[in-house]
Amino acid sequence: MPAPATSLDTLWFTRCPVPTATGIAADRGWLAAEFAADGLVVRSLQDAGGDVPRERHFTHALTGLFREGGNVPALWARAAGERTRLIGLTWIEERQAILIRAADRGRVAEPADLAGLRIAIPRRDIAIDFWRAMALAGFHGALAAAGLGLPDVVPVEVVAAPSAGQWIAELEALRDGRVDAVYVKGALAVEAAAAHGAVIGIDLDTFDDPTVRINNGTPRPVTVHQDLLDRHPDLVVRFLRVLVEAADWAGSHPDDLARILAAETGAGPAGVAGAYRGAGSSDLHLDLSDHRLELLARQEGFLRGQGFLAGPVDVAAWAAPEPLAAARSLAVAR
Protein backbone atom coordinates (compact mmCIF):
# COMPACT_ATOMS: atom_id res chain seq x y z
CA MET A 1 0.00 0.00 0.00
CA PRO A 2 1.31 3.49 -0.77
CA ALA A 3 2.12 5.76 2.13
CA PRO A 4 -0.54 8.37 2.94
CA ALA A 5 -0.30 11.60 0.99
CA THR A 6 1.31 14.56 2.73
CA SER A 7 1.30 18.26 1.93
CA LEU A 8 3.42 19.28 -1.02
CA ASP A 9 3.66 22.70 -2.61
CA THR A 10 6.46 22.35 -5.18
CA LEU A 11 7.50 19.78 -7.74
CA TRP A 12 11.06 20.08 -9.01
CA PHE A 13 12.53 18.82 -12.23
CA THR A 14 16.05 18.76 -13.58
CA ARG A 15 17.49 17.64 -16.88
CA CYS A 16 20.88 17.59 -18.54
CA PRO A 17 21.59 19.90 -21.53
CA VAL A 18 20.59 17.19 -24.02
CA PRO A 19 17.37 16.11 -25.77
CA THR A 20 14.83 15.16 -23.09
CA ALA A 21 11.08 14.84 -22.95
CA THR A 22 11.29 16.92 -19.75
CA GLY A 23 12.92 19.79 -21.62
CA ILE A 24 10.26 19.72 -24.32
CA ALA A 25 7.42 19.64 -21.79
CA ALA A 26 8.97 22.54 -19.87
CA ASP A 27 9.42 24.61 -23.02
CA ARG A 28 5.79 24.11 -23.99
CA GLY A 29 4.55 25.01 -20.50
CA TRP A 30 2.82 21.65 -20.08
CA LEU A 31 4.33 20.72 -16.72
CA ALA A 32 3.23 23.94 -15.05
CA ALA A 33 -0.24 23.66 -16.61
CA GLU A 34 -0.69 20.06 -15.52
CA PHE A 35 -0.34 20.81 -11.82
CA ALA A 36 -1.66 24.37 -11.60
CA ALA A 37 -5.14 23.28 -10.50
CA ASP A 38 -3.56 21.35 -7.63
CA GLY A 39 -1.91 24.50 -6.33
CA LEU A 40 1.49 22.98 -7.08
CA VAL A 41 4.35 25.07 -8.38
CA VAL A 42 6.62 23.28 -10.86
CA ARG A 43 10.17 24.59 -10.87
CA SER A 44 13.35 23.78 -12.74
CA LEU A 45 16.44 23.11 -10.66
CA GLN A 46 18.42 24.94 -13.36
CA ASP A 47 16.41 28.12 -12.61
CA ALA A 48 16.38 27.78 -8.82
CA GLY A 49 19.21 30.21 -8.13
CA GLY A 50 20.26 29.82 -4.51
CA ASP A 51 16.98 28.24 -3.40
CA VAL A 52 18.26 24.70 -3.91
CA PRO A 53 21.91 23.61 -4.24
CA ARG A 54 22.68 22.76 -7.87
CA GLU A 55 24.59 19.68 -6.72
CA ARG A 56 21.25 17.98 -6.13
CA HIS A 57 21.06 17.47 -9.88
CA PHE A 58 23.70 14.82 -9.21
CA THR A 59 22.87 13.64 -5.68
CA HIS A 60 19.06 13.64 -6.07
CA ALA A 61 18.87 14.60 -2.38
CA LEU A 62 15.53 16.33 -2.90
CA THR A 63 12.41 14.27 -2.40
CA GLY A 64 10.19 16.29 -4.76
CA LEU A 65 12.61 16.05 -7.69
CA PHE A 66 12.18 14.38 -11.09
CA ARG A 67 15.50 13.92 -12.89
CA GLU A 68 16.06 13.13 -16.58
CA GLY A 69 19.77 13.01 -17.20
CA GLY A 70 22.96 11.00 -17.45
CA ASN A 71 23.07 7.54 -15.94
CA VAL A 72 26.49 8.01 -14.29
CA PRO A 73 25.23 10.43 -11.58
CA ALA A 74 21.95 8.53 -11.28
CA LEU A 75 23.69 5.21 -10.65
CA TRP A 76 26.25 6.90 -8.40
CA ALA A 77 23.53 8.44 -6.22
CA ARG A 78 21.66 5.14 -5.96
CA ALA A 79 24.86 3.24 -5.12
CA ALA A 80 25.63 5.81 -2.43
CA GLY A 81 22.32 5.07 -0.74
CA GLU A 82 19.92 7.72 -2.06
CA ARG A 83 16.43 6.24 -2.21
CA THR A 84 15.64 6.85 -5.86
CA ARG A 85 13.63 4.77 -8.30
CA LEU A 86 14.10 4.33 -12.02
CA ILE A 87 10.83 5.18 -13.80
CA GLY A 88 11.92 5.47 -17.44
CA LEU A 89 14.76 5.15 -19.92
CA THR A 90 15.39 6.79 -23.28
CA TRP A 91 17.95 5.96 -25.94
CA ILE A 92 18.92 8.92 -28.09
CA GLU A 93 21.61 8.64 -30.75
CA GLU A 94 23.66 11.79 -30.24
CA ARG A 95 26.76 11.62 -32.43
CA GLN A 96 29.30 9.63 -30.45
CA ALA A 97 32.71 9.62 -32.07
CA ILE A 98 36.44 9.23 -31.62
CA LEU A 99 38.15 12.37 -32.89
CA ILE A 100 41.68 12.58 -34.25
CA ARG A 101 43.93 15.21 -35.84
CA ALA A 102 43.29 15.91 -39.49
CA ALA A 103 46.84 14.77 -40.25
CA ASP A 104 45.93 11.30 -38.96
CA ARG A 105 42.91 10.96 -41.21
CA GLY A 106 43.00 7.50 -42.77
CA ARG A 107 45.40 6.13 -40.19
CA VAL A 108 42.69 5.87 -37.55
CA ALA A 109 39.53 4.68 -39.25
CA GLU A 110 38.63 1.45 -37.46
CA PRO A 111 38.52 0.48 -33.77
CA ALA A 112 41.55 -1.78 -34.23
CA ASP A 113 43.58 1.29 -35.24
CA LEU A 114 43.31 2.58 -31.66
CA ALA A 115 45.71 -0.05 -30.34
CA GLY A 116 48.75 1.60 -28.78
CA LEU A 117 47.45 5.15 -29.17
CA ARG A 118 47.39 7.78 -26.43
CA ILE A 119 43.78 8.47 -25.46
CA ALA A 120 42.51 11.49 -23.53
CA ILE A 121 41.02 10.69 -20.13
CA PRO A 122 39.80 13.91 -18.49
CA ARG A 123 39.78 14.58 -14.79
CA ARG A 124 37.58 17.18 -13.11
CA ASP A 125 37.49 17.85 -9.39
CA ILE A 126 33.75 17.27 -8.97
CA ALA A 127 31.70 14.94 -6.78
CA ILE A 128 31.10 12.43 -9.57
CA ASP A 129 33.39 12.84 -12.55
CA PHE A 130 30.98 11.82 -15.29
CA TRP A 131 33.27 13.36 -17.92
CA ARG A 132 35.96 10.84 -17.03
CA ALA A 133 33.41 8.04 -16.96
CA MET A 134 32.14 9.04 -20.43
CA ALA A 135 35.62 8.99 -21.95
CA LEU A 136 36.44 5.60 -20.47
CA ALA A 137 33.13 4.13 -21.57
CA GLY A 138 33.43 5.65 -25.03
CA PHE A 139 36.84 4.16 -25.67
CA HIS A 140 35.79 0.89 -24.04
CA GLY A 141 32.89 0.59 -26.49
CA ALA A 142 35.04 1.44 -29.49
CA LEU A 143 37.79 -0.97 -28.51
CA ALA A 144 35.33 -3.76 -27.75
CA ALA A 145 34.12 -3.60 -31.36
CA ALA A 146 37.60 -4.84 -32.35
CA GLY A 147 37.93 -7.35 -29.54
CA LEU A 148 40.25 -5.02 -27.65
CA GLY A 149 40.07 -3.34 -24.25
CA LEU A 150 41.37 -0.37 -22.32
CA PRO A 151 44.69 -2.15 -21.55
CA ASP A 152 45.41 -1.97 -25.30
CA VAL A 153 45.66 1.84 -25.31
CA VAL A 154 47.69 4.40 -23.37
CA PRO A 155 45.51 6.60 -21.12
CA VAL A 156 46.70 10.19 -20.75
CA GLU A 157 45.14 12.20 -17.94
CA VAL A 158 43.93 15.61 -19.03
CA VAL A 159 43.09 17.89 -16.12
CA ALA A 160 40.18 20.25 -16.70
CA ALA A 161 38.67 22.86 -14.42
CA PRO A 162 35.20 21.89 -13.11
CA SER A 163 33.70 24.74 -15.13
CA ALA A 164 35.73 24.09 -18.28
CA GLY A 165 33.79 23.98 -21.54
CA GLN A 166 32.71 20.65 -22.92
CA TRP A 167 35.60 18.70 -24.46
CA ILE A 168 37.82 21.81 -24.65
CA ALA A 169 40.70 20.51 -22.48
CA GLU A 170 40.75 17.20 -24.35
CA LEU A 171 40.62 18.83 -27.78
CA GLU A 172 43.42 21.20 -26.83
CA ALA A 173 45.49 18.18 -25.80
CA LEU A 174 44.74 16.62 -29.20
CA ARG A 175 45.65 19.80 -31.06
CA ASP A 176 48.90 20.13 -29.10
CA GLY A 177 49.94 16.55 -29.78
CA ARG A 178 49.70 15.33 -26.20
CA VAL A 179 47.10 12.70 -27.11
CA ASP A 180 46.14 10.89 -30.30
CA ALA A 181 42.39 10.43 -29.80
CA VAL A 182 39.47 12.01 -27.94
CA TYR A 183 35.99 10.63 -27.26
CA VAL A 184 33.13 13.13 -27.71
CA LYS A 185 29.34 13.16 -27.96
CA GLY A 186 26.56 15.63 -28.59
CA ALA A 187 25.91 18.97 -30.24
CA LEU A 188 28.58 21.09 -28.57
CA ALA A 189 31.15 18.44 -29.44
CA VAL A 190 30.34 18.89 -33.13
CA GLU A 191 31.05 22.62 -32.83
CA ALA A 192 34.10 22.22 -30.60
CA ALA A 193 35.65 19.68 -32.96
CA ALA A 194 35.34 22.07 -35.89
CA ALA A 195 36.86 24.91 -33.85
CA HIS A 196 39.91 22.80 -32.95
CA GLY A 197 40.50 21.29 -36.37
CA ALA A 198 39.66 17.77 -35.21
CA VAL A 199 38.03 15.22 -37.48
CA ILE A 200 36.09 12.03 -36.92
CA GLY A 201 38.27 8.97 -36.98
CA ILE A 202 35.67 6.47 -35.79
CA ASP A 203 31.95 7.24 -35.97
CA LEU A 204 30.40 5.08 -33.28
CA ASP A 205 26.92 5.81 -34.61
CA THR A 206 27.61 3.64 -37.65
CA PHE A 207 27.88 0.39 -35.69
CA ASP A 208 24.82 -1.84 -35.70
CA ASP A 209 25.57 -3.14 -32.21
CA PRO A 210 24.14 -0.61 -29.71
CA THR A 211 26.39 -1.90 -26.93
CA VAL A 212 29.25 -0.04 -28.63
CA ARG A 213 27.47 3.19 -27.64
CA ILE A 214 26.51 2.40 -24.05
CA ASN A 215 27.50 5.51 -22.13
CA ASN A 216 26.28 8.23 -19.80
CA GLY A 217 23.34 9.17 -22.02
CA THR A 218 22.66 5.81 -23.62
CA PRO A 219 20.44 4.76 -22.05
CA ARG A 220 19.38 7.94 -20.19
CA PRO A 221 17.25 7.43 -17.05
CA VAL A 222 14.34 9.28 -15.54
CA THR A 223 14.44 8.92 -11.76
CA VAL A 224 12.27 10.03 -8.87
CA HIS A 225 12.72 9.85 -5.11
CA GLN A 226 11.13 6.87 -3.38
CA ASP A 227 9.43 9.19 -0.88
CA LEU A 228 7.57 11.05 -3.63
CA LEU A 229 6.55 7.80 -5.30
CA ASP A 230 5.30 6.39 -1.99
CA ARG A 231 3.38 9.46 -0.85
CA HIS A 232 2.16 10.91 -4.14
CA PRO A 233 2.06 8.11 -6.74
CA ASP A 234 -0.65 9.96 -8.68
CA LEU A 235 1.64 12.95 -9.20
CA VAL A 236 4.40 10.70 -10.52
CA VAL A 237 2.01 9.11 -13.01
CA ARG A 238 0.76 12.50 -14.19
CA PHE A 239 4.27 13.89 -14.58
CA LEU A 240 5.21 10.87 -16.68
CA ARG A 241 2.03 11.22 -18.73
CA VAL A 242 3.13 14.73 -19.73
CA LEU A 243 6.53 13.36 -20.78
CA VAL A 244 4.88 10.62 -22.87
CA GLU A 245 2.75 13.25 -24.60
CA ALA A 246 5.79 15.50 -25.13
CA ALA A 247 7.62 12.66 -26.88
CA ASP A 248 4.60 12.09 -29.12
CA TRP A 249 4.47 15.78 -29.98
CA ALA A 250 8.18 15.91 -30.84
CA GLY A 251 7.79 13.36 -33.59
CA SER A 252 5.45 15.56 -35.61
CA HIS A 253 7.09 18.95 -34.96
CA PRO A 254 10.69 18.67 -36.24
CA ASP A 255 11.25 22.41 -36.64
CA ASP A 256 10.03 23.20 -33.14
CA LEU A 257 12.06 20.29 -31.82
CA ALA A 258 15.23 21.65 -33.42
CA ARG A 259 14.62 25.03 -31.79
CA ILE A 260 14.10 23.44 -28.38
CA LEU A 261 17.21 21.29 -28.72
CA ALA A 262 19.28 24.35 -29.57
CA ALA A 263 17.99 26.09 -26.43
CA GLU A 264 18.50 23.02 -24.26
CA THR A 265 22.02 22.19 -25.46
CA GLY A 266 23.35 25.70 -26.04
CA ALA A 267 24.45 24.69 -29.53
CA GLY A 268 23.74 26.29 -32.89
CA PRO A 269 21.77 24.78 -35.77
CA ALA A 270 24.82 23.02 -37.24
CA GLY A 271 25.68 21.37 -33.93
CA VAL A 272 22.11 20.23 -33.36
CA ALA A 273 21.72 18.92 -36.91
CA GLY A 274 25.04 17.09 -36.73
CA ALA A 275 24.46 15.50 -33.35
CA TYR A 276 20.77 14.67 -33.20
CA ARG A 277 19.95 13.33 -36.60
CA GLY A 278 17.58 10.79 -35.06
CA ALA A 279 16.13 12.70 -32.10
CA GLY A 280 12.52 12.14 -33.03
CA SER A 281 9.53 10.68 -31.26
CA SER A 282 10.76 7.11 -30.88
CA ASP A 283 14.04 8.25 -29.35
CA LEU A 284 12.44 10.51 -26.75
CA HIS A 285 9.87 7.98 -25.61
CA LEU A 286 10.37 6.46 -22.18
CA ASP A 287 10.81 2.71 -21.97
CA LEU A 288 11.57 0.17 -19.27
CA SER A 289 11.86 -2.86 -21.51
CA ASP A 290 14.09 -5.76 -20.54
CA HIS A 291 16.42 -4.79 -23.38
CA ARG A 292 16.98 -1.25 -22.11
CA LEU A 293 17.36 -2.44 -18.54
CA GLU A 294 20.03 -4.87 -19.72
CA LEU A 295 21.89 -2.07 -21.48
CA LEU A 296 21.83 -0.02 -18.28
CA ALA A 297 22.95 -3.05 -16.28
CA ARG A 298 25.99 -3.33 -18.56
CA GLN A 299 26.80 0.29 -17.85
CA GLU A 300 26.42 -0.31 -14.11
CA GLY A 301 28.89 -3.18 -14.28
CA PHE A 302 31.39 -1.11 -16.23
CA LEU A 303 31.15 1.87 -13.88
CA ARG A 304 31.51 -0.35 -10.83
CA GLY A 305 34.52 -2.05 -12.37
CA GLN A 306 36.14 1.34 -12.97
CA GLY A 307 35.56 2.42 -9.37
CA PHE A 308 32.84 5.02 -9.91
CA LEU A 309 30.20 3.35 -7.71
CA ALA A 310 30.33 2.80 -3.97
CA GLY A 311 28.53 -0.51 -4.35
CA PRO A 312 26.40 -2.55 -6.73
CA VAL A 313 23.07 -1.36 -8.11
CA ASP A 314 20.53 -4.04 -8.99
CA VAL A 315 19.05 -2.31 -12.03
CA ALA A 316 16.01 -4.59 -12.28
CA ALA A 317 15.14 -3.99 -8.62
CA TRP A 318 15.75 -0.25 -9.00
CA ALA A 319 13.15 -0.02 -11.75
CA ALA A 320 9.53 0.80 -10.92
CA PRO A 321 7.56 0.12 -14.12
CA GLU A 322 4.05 0.70 -12.79
CA PRO A 323 3.97 4.53 -13.04
CA LEU A 324 5.05 4.52 -16.68
CA ALA A 325 2.51 1.85 -17.59
CA ALA A 326 -0.22 3.92 -15.93
CA ALA A 327 1.00 7.10 -17.64
CA ARG A 328 0.84 5.50 -21.06
CA SER A 329 -2.76 4.45 -20.50
CA LEU A 330 -3.67 8.05 -19.63
CA ALA A 331 -1.71 9.80 -22.36
CA VAL A 332 -3.46 11.60 -25.19
CA ALA A 333 -2.01 12.97 -28.40
CA ARG A 334 -1.23 16.69 -28.20
Side-chain angles (χ1 to χ4, degrees):
M1 294 290 293
T6 58
S7 61
L8 182 73
D9 57 14
T10 304
L11 287 178
W12 293 91
F13 67 89
T14 183
R15 74 283 193 201
C16 290
V18 294
T20 62
T22 302
I24 292 169
D27 177 89
R28 305 300 296 172
W30 294 334
L31 291 172
E34 173 65 27
F35 299 102
D38 303 273
L40 286 170
V41 176
V42 182
R43 297 186 63 188
S44 164
L45 202 61
Q46 281 71 30
D47 300 329
D51 294 349
V52 176
R54 290 289 298 276
E55 67 188 29
R56 292 187 183 179
H57 173 78
F58 302 106
T59 66
H60 208 133
L62 183 63
T63 57
L65 178 68
F66 292 85
R67 181 184 188 277
E68 185 172 2
N71 61 50
V72 175
L75 286 163
W76 171 77
R78 174 73 177 187
E82 198 61 59
R83 297 176 64 249
T84 60
R85 295 302 299 275
L86 174 66
I87 55 174
L89 287 167
T90 62
W91 182 283
I92 299 168
E93 302 293 2
E94 49 187 345
R95 178 46 72 86
Q96 297 191 61
I98 306 299
L99 301 183
I100 58 174
R101 288 180 293 275
D104 291 329
R105 194 195 304 266
R107 283 184 273 175
V108 182
E110 301 291 341
D113 298 332
L114 293 171
L117 296 188
R118 299 167 299 163
I119 64 169
I121 304 298
R123 179 178 293 280
R124 283 173 167 81
D125 185 16
I126 52 180
I128 173 62
D129 194 347
F130 61 93
W131 296 103
R132 187 177 187 85
M134 283 196 294
L136 287 166
F139 281 111
H140 168 74
L143 289 161
L148 302 174
L150 291 172
D152 295 302
V153 292
V154 180
V156 175
E157 187 165 292
V158 178
V159 177
S163 59
Q166 296 185 22
W167 324 109
I168 301 302
E170 300 95 308
L171 287 169
E172 288 177 348
L174 180 67
R175 180 196 62 198
D176 298 343
R178 288 178 281 135
V179 301
D180 302 308
V182 171
Y183 164 82
V184 299
K185 68 96 174 169
L188 288 181
V190 172
E191 297 180 348
H196 286 80
V199 298
I200 294 176
I202 302 169
D203 186 348
L204 298 179
D205 292 355
T206 63
F207 289 81
D208 292 333
D209 183 0
T211 64
V212 170
R213 295 183 295 283
I214 293 175
N215 213 302
N216 185 41
T218 39
R220 181 172 291 120
V222 178
T223 51
V224 68
H225 204 281
Q226 181 74 63
D227 287 354
L228 185 63
L229 183 57
D230 286 345
R231 298 182 182 280
H232 301 279
D234 58 317
L235 298 184
V236 175
V237 171
R238 288 167 58 192
F239 193 99
L240 284 174
R241 191 201 76 205
V242 175
L243 301 194
V244 170
E245 293 169 356
D248 286 340
W249 177 89
S252 57
H253 295 80
D255 292 339
D256 287 316
L257 177 61
R259 175 190 60 78
I260 294 172
L261 294 188
E264 290 286 295
T265 64
V272 169
Y276 304 119
R277 294 163 292 176
S281 176
S282 60
D283 298 296
L284 292 168
H285 271 125
L286 306 182
D287 185 1
L288 279 176
S289 65
D290 290 343
H291 175 62
R292 283 211 180 145
L293 290 172
E294 170 58 25
L295 293 170
L296 185 61
R298 286 180 178 238
Q299 171 76 334
E300 186 275 341
F302 176 78
L303 294 173
R304 185 158 37 87
Q306 294 295 320
F308 288 98
L309 305 183
V313 175
D314 184 335
V315 169
W318 187 27
E322 296 84 4
L324 181 57
R328 284 174 173 161
S329 69
L330 295 175
V332 296
R334 287 192 182 266

